[in-house]
């Protein structure tokens, strides 16, 4: 039985802050790619800055792709605005311990078949309507709706009953125990039921969050203003936020250096050296492992239906070079999806595939191939193009010639969801940073029942379902479950992980109090411009 009590403001997210200063070395290299210690925002404050938060001002956030309304209920590269407009029921701390948000406290039944939520009673939507248990019921049913693109639908679907005990207490009844219910609670944004159809077309975005939508200009970005009736007294400090779409890397960097933008998470890794010499800018690396670079493989297209060929591709990629040259050294070269903060992480899994072109060629020959010609889809963004070109180079060295197929982010995400990928593709995935079972039941590339690679295995399904629905009695049992999942992922190689990475933040040194949740939803509740 778990009991947690009312809201306390979040502490700083776990990240390291690397501040540019007079020729000092900021890119710490490959050895510090995984777990970095946190440094508080105050430690990087400019001399003479007030220690007290300052109210007012509009934050300009530079993003490289526009908001996609149809993906509102999924986690993607366009999810930064989610926590600005909406709240979630709970949020994780750095130790994956759930903390209160709209759910003030809760009690989990000993048999894992129900949870009682006690909700805040002082929350209003942007349209003035009071938040109640009915809104939580709607949020769960909304994710159960197959028309929504939502990765955690399988977890939402385990909720089979609702028992209201007044407006602010609710019992969720589960079909069976799951070990990732709080992943759902942090992922699931609470929307206004009356306007949800307008939300998925971008006409109205009404939540309970710290900012209200004033305008969405397709192709240009979102404009948000302060929600004066926000449930946290005195928050937010900012008057507003503008998400400005700047797709070109040079223009995005110029915007940061000139002060037109004060924050971005989309500076390409190989361009970070350009900003590190600017003493007005700070680079912060979130080490949550909220994202990973991978090579996807369509297992229904010959010869990729042969596991030996897929393993050859895994040996062919130089992960260390990709990390150093393309991602600026920020991340962790890894053949497995897990960040170091994950209970599923092991060094043996991380290094399962090293860079071995000779072995890759040998495996290809054993499968009857000396040369292959394959397409490789990638997102038409500077950082993603650089990753695709790095993969293209490595595969060429072992006789696999790939033709790059650039596509826009929205189309790429839709192809991912609809399983409409060519032979090869490269993108980023999340969901390895929360409960390990969530990756295999929720992330589109890994889903045991229906994944983008079209890989199916009775053994994979059995192992994943056991980990998801039968919470382990102790750490050793949990590790055994994680080990089985990792072994299948590595051996079958239907998805080839390359680099685990968090979010790399570039911000003006005037900016303080920025945090991200585990799904990279941007939290600006306590943010201010000094």
């Amino acid at each position: 039985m778990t009991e947690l009590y009312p809201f306390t403001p979040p502490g700083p997210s776990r990240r390291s802050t690397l501040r540019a200063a007079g020729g000092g070395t900021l890119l710490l290299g490959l050895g510090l790619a995984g777990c970095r210690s946190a440094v508080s925002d105050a430690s990087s404050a400019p001399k003479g800055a007030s220690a007290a938060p300052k109210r007012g001002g509009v934050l300009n956030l530079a993003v490289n792709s526009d908001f996609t309304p149809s993906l509102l209920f999924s986690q993607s590269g366009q999810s930064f605005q989610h926590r600005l407009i909406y709240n979630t029921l709970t949020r994780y701390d750095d130790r994956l311990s759930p903390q209160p948000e709209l759910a003030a406290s809760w009690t989990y039944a000993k048999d894992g078949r129900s949870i009682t939520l006690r909700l805040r009673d002082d929350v209003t939507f942007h349209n003035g309507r009071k938040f109640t248990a009915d809104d939580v019921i709607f949020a769960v049913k909304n994710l159960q709706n197959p028309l929504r693109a939502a990765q955690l639908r399988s977890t939402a679907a385990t909720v089979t009953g609702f028992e209201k005990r007044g407006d602010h207490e609710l019992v969720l009844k589960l079909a069976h125990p799951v070990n990732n219910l709080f992943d759902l609670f942090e992922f699931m944004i609470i929307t206004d039921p009356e306007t949800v159809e307008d939300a998925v077309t971008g006409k109205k975005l009404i939540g309970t969050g710290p900012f209200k939508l004033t305008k969405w200009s397709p192709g240009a970005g979102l404009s948000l203003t302060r929600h004066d009736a926000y449930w946290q007294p005195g928050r937010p400090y900012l008057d507003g936020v503008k998400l400005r779409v700047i797709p070109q890397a040079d223009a995005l960097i110029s915007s940061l250096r000139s002060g037109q933008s004060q924050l971005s998470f989309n500076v390409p890794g190989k361009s970070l050296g350009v900003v590190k010499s600017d003493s007005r800018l700070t680079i912060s690396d979130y080490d949550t492992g909220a994202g990973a670079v991978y090579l996807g493989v369509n297992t229904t297209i010959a010869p990729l239906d042969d596991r030996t060929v897929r393993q050859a591709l895994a040996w062919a990629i130089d992960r260390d070079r990709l990390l150093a040259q393309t991602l600026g050294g920020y991340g962790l070269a890894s053949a497995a999806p897990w960040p170091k903060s994950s209970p599923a992480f092991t060094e043996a899994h991380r290094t399962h595939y090293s860079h071995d072109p000779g072995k890759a060629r040998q495996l290809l020959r054993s499968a009857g191939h000396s040369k292959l010609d394959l397409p490789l889809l990638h997102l038409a963004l500077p950082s993603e193009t650089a990753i695709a070109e790095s993969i293209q180079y490595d595969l060429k060295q072992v006789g696999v010639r790939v033709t790059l197929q650039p596509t826009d982010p929205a189309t790429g995400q839709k192809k991912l969801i609809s399983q409409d990928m060519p032979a090869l593709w490269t993108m980023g995935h999340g969901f390895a940073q929360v409960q390990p079972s969530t990756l295999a039941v929720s992330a589109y590339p890994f889903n045991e029942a229906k994944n983008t690679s079209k890989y199916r295995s009775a053994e994979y399904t059995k192992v994943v379902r056991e980990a998801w629905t039968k919470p382990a009695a102790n750490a050793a049992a949990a590790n055994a479950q994680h080990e089985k999942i990792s072994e299948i992922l590595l051996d079958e190689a239907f998805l080839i992980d390359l680099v685990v990475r968090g979010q790399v933040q570039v911000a003006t040194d005037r900016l303080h109090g920025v945090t991200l949740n585990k799904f990279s939803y941007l939290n600006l509740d306590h943010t201010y411009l000094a």
Side-chain angles (χ1 to χ4, degrees):
M1 200 177 273
T2 301
E3 192 84 36
L4 286 176
Y5 293 95
F7 174 86
T8 54
S13 290
R14 193 163 186 230
R15 65 182 186 267
S16 75
T17 301
L18 311 178
R19 183 156 178 238
T25 301
L26 299 183
L27 199 52
L28 301 182
L30 305 182
L32 294 178
C35 214
R36 293 172 175 159
S37 60
V39 179
S40 72
D41 290 307
S43 68
S44 62
K47 293 181 179 179
S50 171
K54 181 182 177 183
R55 188 170 299 282
V58 175
L59 172 64
N60 288 281
L61 169 65
V63 297
N64 61 9
S65 56
D66 198 10
F67 167 60
T68 306
S70 62
L71 300 178
L72 180 64
F73 298 104
S74 67
Q75 193 271 329
S76 69
Q78 295 98 38
S79 298
F80 291 118
Q81 75 284 331
H82 280 24
R83 182 49 179 72
L84 303 181
I85 299 170
Y86 304 101
N87 288 118
T88 57
L89 288 174
T90 60
R91 56 180 175 80
Y92 281 128
D93 63 15
D94 291 331
R95 295 174 297 279
L96 286 183
S97 177
Q99 305 297 314
E101 193 156 306
L102 293 187
S105 64
W106 51 87
T107 303
Y108 217 142
K110 289 182 179 180
D111 64 0
R113 297 290 296 270
S114 68
I115 187 169
T116 302
L117 303 173
R118 283 166 289 280
L119 307 173
R120 296 189 64 96
D121 61 5
D122 57 352
V123 178
T124 59
F125 284 90
H126 299 155
N127 57 8
R129 190 176 61 79
K130 292 287 261 184
F131 162 72
T132 70
D134 288 328
D135 298 305
V136 178
I137 294 172
F138 172 81
V140 174
K141 290 182 176 181
N142 184 57
L143 290 193
Q144 293 172 344
N145 183 349
L147 296 178
R148 305 294 186 222
Q151 291 99 333
L152 275 147
R153 179 176 299 115
S154 56
T155 304
T158 65
V159 181
T160 55
F162 305 91
E163 180 187 336
K164 285 173 55 180
R165 297 176 178 174
D167 284 343
H168 297 96
E169 186 166 329
L170 176 67
V171 180
L172 302 182
K173 299 179 180 180
L174 308 179
H176 54 75
V178 292
N179 70 352
N180 67 339
L181 192 61
F182 287 96
D183 293 4
L184 173 68
F185 291 169
E186 179 153 349
F187 171 85
M188 182 176 69
I189 57 175
I190 304 298
T191 59
D192 172 42
E194 298 171 1
T195 57
V196 69
E197 296 306 324
D198 285 334
V200 295
T201 60
K203 294 178 182 177
K204 292 181 182 179
L205 302 177
I206 296 178
T208 62
F211 298 96
K212 301 185 294 185
L213 176 69
T214 55
K215 186 179 182 181
W216 173 43
S217 302
L222 298 165
S223 294
L224 312 175
T225 190
R226 186 179 192 273
H227 175 33
D228 291 329
Y230 191 44
W231 52 272
Q232 290 196 57
R235 302 293 188 275
Y237 294 120
L238 296 169
D239 290 332
V241 182
K242 290 186 177 180
L243 286 79
R244 303 172 62 226
V245 179
I246 308 177
Q248 298 302 317
D250 289 346
L252 189 150
I253 293 168
S254 296
S255 176
L256 288 164
R257 300 188 73 182
S258 67
Q260 291 179 323
S261 300
Q262 295 86 38
L263 175 66
S264 183
F265 296 90
N266 296 127
V267 176
K270 63 181 182 179
S271 300
L272 289 170
V274 177
V275 301
K276 72 179 183 180
S277 61
D278 192 326
S279 61
R280 298 166 298 178
L281 297 176
T282 299
I283 302 174
S284 302
D285 182 13
Y286 289 78
D287 62 357
T288 59
V293 177
Y294 72 91
L295 175 64
V297 184
N298 188 330
T299 63
T300 64
I301 296 177
L304 300 175
D305 55 346
D306 185 340
R307 179 177 60 183
T308 301
V309 174
R310 302 196 297 267
Q311 290 177 344
L313 301 184
W315 286 107
I317 307 298
D318 188 344
R319 292 167 175 81
D320 289 329
R321 183 180 63 82
L322 174 66
L323 173 64
Q325 296 183 3
T326 307
L327 301 177
Y330 288 91
L332 179 71
S334 180
W338 319 112
K340 284 190 173 181
S341 58
S342 170
F345 174 85
T346 71
E347 185 65 14
H349 295 153
R350 184 185 79 80
T351 59
H352 183 87
Y353 291 107
S354 59
H355 181 222
D356 193 335
K359 188 164 187 174
R361 285 190 287 267
Q362 179 187 357
L363 287 172
L364 286 172
R365 286 195 299 270
S366 72
H369 308 285
S370 58
K371 291 185 179 180
L372 294 174
D373 288 277
L374 299 168
L376 175 65
L377 181 143
H378 67 92
L379 303 185
L381 299 170
S383 58
E384 305 304 316
T385 300
I387 291 169
E389 290 172 346
S390 182
I391 293 171
Q392 180 186 46
Y393 174 84
D394 285 340
L395 294 183
K396 183 179 179 181
Q397 309 314 304
V398 301
V400 180
R401 188 174 75 90
V402 300
T403 302
L404 300 187
Q405 294 184 348
T407 189
D408 66 274
T411 300
Q413 184 78 356
K414 290 174 182 176
K415 284 179 172 290
L416 187 79
I417 295 169
S418 63
Q419 304 177 339
D420 186 27
M421 287 296 189
L424 299 174
W425 73 94
T426 181
M427 282 187 177
H429 73 75
F431 296 96
Q433 76 279 18
V434 285
Q435 297 299 331
S437 64
T438 293
L439 181 78
V441 297
S442 298
Y444 295 122
F446 293 90
N447 189 293
E448 53 82 20
K450 185 181 179 182
N451 55 68
T452 313
S453 296
K454 301 180 182 178
Y455 170 80
R456 293 299 305 272
S457 158
E459 179 63 18
Y460 183 46
T461 293
K462 176 184 175 184
V463 166
V464 168
R465 291 273 164 170
E466 183 176 88
W468 181 45
T469 64
K470 297 179 181 178
N474 52 52
N479 289 339
Q481 291 177 337
H482 304 154
E483 181 73 21
K484 290 178 182 178
I485 294 174
S486 295
E487 286 177 353
I488 292 174
L489 294 178
L490 292 168
D491 190 49
E492 293 295 332
F494 63 89
L495 187 142
I496 299 167
D497 268 286
L498 304 175
V499 176
V500 176
R501 59 179 179 177
Q503 293 287 355
V504 179
Q505 169 186 303
V506 177
T508 173
D509 61 1
R510 297 174 50 228
L511 187 64
H512 303 276
V514 176
T515 63
L516 295 170
N517 83 348
K518 288 292 185 179
F519 296 108
S520 294
Y521 300 172
L522 185 60
N523 185 334
L524 300 180
D525 285 10
H526 309 283
T527 301
Y528 64 97
L529 288 161

